[in-house]
Amino acid sequence: MAIGEAELLDRVATGWRRGRGGAIVTANVDIVRAATRTPALAALVARSEIVVADGMPVVWAARIAGLALPGRVTGASLVHSLAGRAALENRSIYLLGGEPGVPEAAARVLTGSHPGLRVAGTCSPPFGFDRTPRGLREVVARVSATEPDLVMVGLGFPKQERVIEALRAEWPHAWYLGCGAGIPMAAGRFRRAPVAFQRMGAEWLYRLALEPRRLARRYLRDDAPFALALLAGALRDRLTSRSRR
């Protein structure tokens, strides 16, 4: 079922009241590309309770194909809106991911913006912690010991979704958001693109200008051709469907 941000917040709040948790995937072009090419990653995404479109090419492709998608729901936006809903519901959050000092900075911004928000904890895990059972267990134990209601995990796909699965096995009562760069964004390490760029689906150009060395290969070589193919495929499927009527 396709849902927008407001309905997502309501579903999370309902889950809290019923003692049920879940996982949220914000599917951008990079995630969709990886999931379509690797069945194990597609299954990883499918095991989440909520999957939303984080990326205008994903939204456009869905609409071209005839799907009633409400609109884009980004991880960066959900970091703030879910924190706000957690404050209203007297729930706690945990921030996992980012360089040392970043999740703490994000926590200060969020508590300043949402009075009454409780931060159960923060963690900037060491590089490669998830590559050994011991390293993963230590992080999972650290997070679950605080018994948070919402865990924001900003480790990038698919690492963050795999860590979320391990966390859910230990502490299933929480909601988990895979938010990618949402934590450093909240901390003010870099800004989101202007609204005009976001509406045009050109936010990736803004990010590329900020971090060309890190993002050029992924955006230009991998994601851009896939996005064009995704849109073309959606149009082809739509036309084929019409011709069969």
Side-chain angles (χ1 to χ4, degrees):
M1 180 176 66
I3 64 173
E5 189 163 352
E7 187 175 355
L8 183 152
L9 298 177
D10 288 342
R11 286 184 63 179
V12 169
T14 298
W16 281 331
R17 294 165 195 158
R18 295 177 179 176
R20 299 175 184 173
I24 304 166
V25 172
T26 54
N28 57 19
V29 170
D30 201 46
I31 291 176
V32 173
R33 177 177 59 83
T36 56
R37 296 179 178 180
T38 308
L41 296 182
L44 182 63
V45 171
R47 287 194 291 272
S48 299
E49 279 67 25
I50 300 177
V51 180
V52 291
D54 180 351
M56 286 309 299
V58 180
V59 174
W60 293 333
R63 289 176 176 172
I64 290 172
L67 302 177
L69 200 62
R72 185 185 183 198
V73 183
T74 70
S77 175
L78 286 174
V79 166
H80 292 274
S81 59
L82 281 170
R85 192 56 175 263
L88 290 174
E89 299 284 337
N90 192 29
R91 303 288 174 170
S92 64
I93 68 169
Y94 195 106
L95 300 174
L96 174 61
E99 297 179 354
V102 170
E104 291 79 11
R108 289 193 293 271
V109 170
L110 294 174
T111 53
S113 301
H114 307 289
L117 176 65
R118 293 187 290 121
V119 177
T122 60
C123 177
S124 179
F127 180 78
F129 77 95
D130 57 313
R131 296 179 183 174
T132 65
R134 179 180 178 180
L136 181 58
R137 281 198 306 269
E138 288 177 351
V139 169
V140 168
R142 177 174 177 176
V143 176
S144 60
T146 67
E147 299 186 352
D149 297 300
L150 170 67
V151 184
M152 299 179 181
V153 186
L155 299 171
F157 181 85
K159 180 191 293 189
Q160 63 193 20
E161 278 67 31
R162 289 171 174 155
V163 171
I164 284 172
E165 286 211 323
L167 286 164
R168 293 186 68 184
E170 185 70 21
W171 181 242
H173 308 290
W175 277 92
Y176 296 89
L177 169 68
C179 58
I183 293 175
M185 278 190 180
R189 289 298 187 266
F190 55 91
R191 296 180 180 179
R192 285 195 67 184
V195 174
F197 276 72
Q198 297 178 37
R199 290 175 178 172
M200 291 187 297
E203 190 167 8
W204 66 276
L205 283 173
Y206 185 85
R207 289 285 310 278
L208 181 61
L210 291 177
E211 302 180 89
R213 290 187 177 181
R214 188 175 74 87
L215 297 176
R217 181 176 180 180
R218 190 179 96 189
Y219 281 2
L220 299 179
R221 192 197 71 174
D222 299 329
D223 288 353
F226 177 80
L228 292 174
L230 183 68
L231 293 169
L235 179 60
R236 182 177 61 251
D237 291 345
R238 183 69 175 269
L239 295 175
T240 301
S241 176
R242 286 182 177 180
S243 67
R244 291 175 178 173
R245 293 177 184 174

